[in-house]
Amino acid sequence: LLGGAVCLGKRNNCETRTAPYIEGRAYVGVSATLPEDNFFLAMVSELTVGGIIDLVSDYVPGLNTAVSIPAKLAQSGIYPFATDYKTRCAGLLGAYRNETTLDPDCFAFMSFSPIAEHVISFRSGDVVVPAGVALQGRLDFLGWEIAISLAVSKTRFYIEAWMDPVSLKIGDFEMRIGNHLENDVAVGGARFLVDLGVSPPSALIDIGGAFDIPMLKSYGYLNITLNADIFSFTAGI
């Protein structure tokens, strides 16, 4: 096992996980003779344009006042998948030296283990690297967000994704993409959830999307729900 953690920021900020700081971790298992021992895991804390400027400002006095950027640009960056992660992970992201656990859900992360599941043991507990490919995080671009949580292996296919509403404009032409229709207008953010298991067999599907094109006075929608109790499929255009 090769790996470690790095934190950018003042010592106290890193030790107490108090902004501004950036924490990154990477762990690699490499074996030429035992392919099942090969794996990779990388994690990064919230990483935004504004956070980077705040971090540099700790070492360059006056930078914050000299560099003024729009709020939407400042918040642009990479976040953990859960929108409420600061509340959910408040205790977990406590003092680095005394952390009670290391939870990948409190970071944006990706992992790859082609054959077997791996467990990395820390003083704060164990982190599981699942077999297959896994990634999780959110991307904010000027206030527009897209999020994805993915896990793919020989026994499971799981993907959960959502995005903010989209409005595509070219001249007078506009197409809006959302979650559902209200008065023939696409609103909300499209969502996509598929969780298929092999052993034991299981299936969970929840898909919702809609669009409308005002110029053509046209619209459409799609909703699919599948679980242990119900299957529902509705679509229209």
Side-chain angles (χ1 to χ4, degrees), residues 10-94:
K10 290 185 175 180
R11 179 173 180 176
N12 183 67
N13 291 41
C14 286
E15 290 183 350
T16 60
R17 286 188 170 128
T18 302
Y21 78 99
I22 298 172
E23 180 180 348
R25 292 171 176 256
Y27 303 94
V28 181
V30 179
S31 175
T33 57
L34 298 172
E36 62 271 19
D37 286 348
N38 295 321
F39 72 91
F40 169 77
L41 170 65
M43 303 185 293
V44 65
S45 62
E46 177 182 309
L47 178 61
T48 65
V49 174
I52 293 173
I53 292 177
D54 289 342
L55 180 62
V56 176
S57 296
D58 278 347
Y59 302 93
V60 183
L63 180 63
N64 259 336
T65 55
V67 178
S68 178
I69 62 175
K72 288 187 176 181
L73 176 58
Q75 73 185 43
S76 296
I78 299 171
Y79 296 81
F81 179 76
T83 56
D84 62 344
Y85 78 96
K86 287 188 176 179
T87 300
R88 290 173 48 185
C89 300
L92 304 182
L93 292 178

Side-chain angles (χ1 to χ4, degrees), residues 144 163-170 172-190 209-221:
W144 182 83
M163 66 179 183
D164 285 340
V166 176
S167 178
L168 305 174
K169 292 184 178 180
I170 302 177
D172 294 331
F173 177 86
E174 179 182 11
M175 179 178 181
R176 293 177 293 226
I177 302 174
N179 174 263
H180 61 280
L181 294 171
E182 290 185 6
N183 298 320
D184 298 339
V185 176
V187 297
F211 76 91
D212 77 280
I213 305 174
M215 178 182 288
L216 302 179
K217 297 182 179 180
S218 62
Y219 58 86
Y221 64 91

